[in-house]
Amino acid sequence: MRENWFKIALTALLLADASVRLYYLKGRRKFERVAVKHEKRENFFYRLVGMGLIPISYYLLTPRIDAFRLPFPAWLRWSGAAIIFAGDLLFIWSHRALDKNWSPLLEIRKGHTLVTEGPYRFIRHPMYAAIFLIGTGILFLSANWTVASSYMLPVIFMYLIRVSDEEEMMVEQFGDEYRKYMKSTGRLLPKLNIKFNPVHDR
Ligand code: SAH
């Protein structure tokens, strides 16, 4: 019976996640593209991510894959819900900061500006960081390795191939402005800027 509460919580959090995406997809007005990279490949990745949702729906709607359970205690599972929630907040914050510069594909739009505010002050890929946070939360909350890997594997695969192409595209567009921005930020984690003055023996 308790498993159903975890399922209800996960369903609610995933629906919240999906509605944020839909809201920003819908809000995107038609814009003129200046550049687009690897469009077919990116669309293929989205199909992979979509296929991962099939086992997740099985878990949420039926008891059929409940056997692939990991022995997590209830407190860890509920902290998974908190992690997903934190991921959702970071996701919304990133969307608000990127605003019209956001695109689900690797694209540069007409009038594209480089965003270095909000979460982009600290890291270059807060949306991907949010997606990984959500994945970690899904692992803990579902305590089901089939569910966790159906979400995480396509997303990790997509990230690993996409991120350097995205940065290359940004360098092509913004040149030294982006190179300088790269020096003060990390990809997914903030750069630790510990400056120290080495003491030399005279
Ligand atoms: N990698 C970012 C954005 C993902 S959306 C993140 O994880 O938060 C992908 C699109 O965002 C890319 O096509 C690119 O056009 C745009 N983009 C990425 N970083 C940007 C930035 N700092 N400023 C403006 N646009 C950016």
Side-chain angles (χ1 to χ4, degrees):
M1 183 57 217
R2 191 161 69 184
E3 191 61 35
N4 283 343
W5 286 110
F6 295 124
K7 290 186 182 187
I8 290 168
L10 183 56
T11 309
L13 285 160
L14 289 181
L15 285 178
D17 196 25
S19 22
V20 174
R21 253 288 132 104
L22 284 177
Y23 173 80
Y24 282 98
L25 263 177
K26 222 173 145 243
R28 266 171 94 241
R29 267 159 260 138
K30 276 257 161 255
F31 66 76
E32 230 178 288
R33 273 172 170 179
V34 175
V36 59
K37 299 254 175 197
H38 309 291
E39 192 171 9
K40 276 202 184 126
R41 183 193 76 191
E42 294 299 314
N43 281 323
F44 168 73
F45 285 152
Y46 278 113
R47 255 171 264 143
L48 272 188
V49 172
M51 270 159 65
L53 297 179
I54 299 171
I56 300 179
S57 316
Y58 253 80
Y59 165 75
L60 293 175
L61 302 171
T62 76
R64 272 181 230 165
I65 58 171
D66 285 3
F68 301 105
R69 181 98 41 93
L70 296 161
F72 292 164
W75 66 264
L76 185 62
R77 298 192 64 179
W78 287 121
S79 41
I83 295 172
I84 301 178
F85 189 67
D88 281 349
L89 293 182
L90 178 59
F91 199 60
I92 294 170
W93 191 24
S94 315
H95 257 298
R96 292 182 69 122
L98 265 194
D99 195 28
K100 295 188 194 77
N101 299 298
W102 175 71
S103 158
L105 296 170
L106 297 183
E107 282 175 335
I108 298 290
R109 62 179 290 168
K110 199 173 173 193
H112 206 115
T113 52
L114 177 64
V115 175
T116 56
E117 290 304 317
Y120 292 88
R121 263 181 75 176
F122 312 104
I123 52 178
R124 298 195 291 283
H125 304 288
M127 278 191 196
Y128 303 154
I131 289 169
F132 288 134
L133 264 182
I134 293 169
T136 310
I138 291 178
L139 168 68
F140 291 153
L141 179 55
S142 71
N144 186 303
W145 64 262
T146 326
V147 171
S149 39
S150 322
Y151 180 89
M152 279 305 248
L153 292 181
V155 159
I156 292 173
F157 183 58
M158 184 170 183
Y159 170 80
L160 289 177
I161 294 181
R162 174 190 251 228
V163 72
S164 44
D165 286 335
E166 181 171 332
E167 294 187 342
E168 207 178 288
M169 177 184 81
M170 297 303 281
V171 168
E172 277 169 26
Q173 179 67 19
F174 296 101
D176 284 345
E177 201 186 348
Y178 195 78
R179 284 195 200 95
K180 198 170 147 223
Y181 169 63
M182 286 172 95
K183 288 206 178 103
S184 61
T185 50
R187 269 185 171 160
L188 296 174
L189 297 172
K191 230 177 211 172
L192 285 179
N193 228 349
I194 306 169
K195 293 213 171 73
F196 60 92
N197 297 315
V199 179
H200 298 288
D201 285 334
R202 282 163 211 249

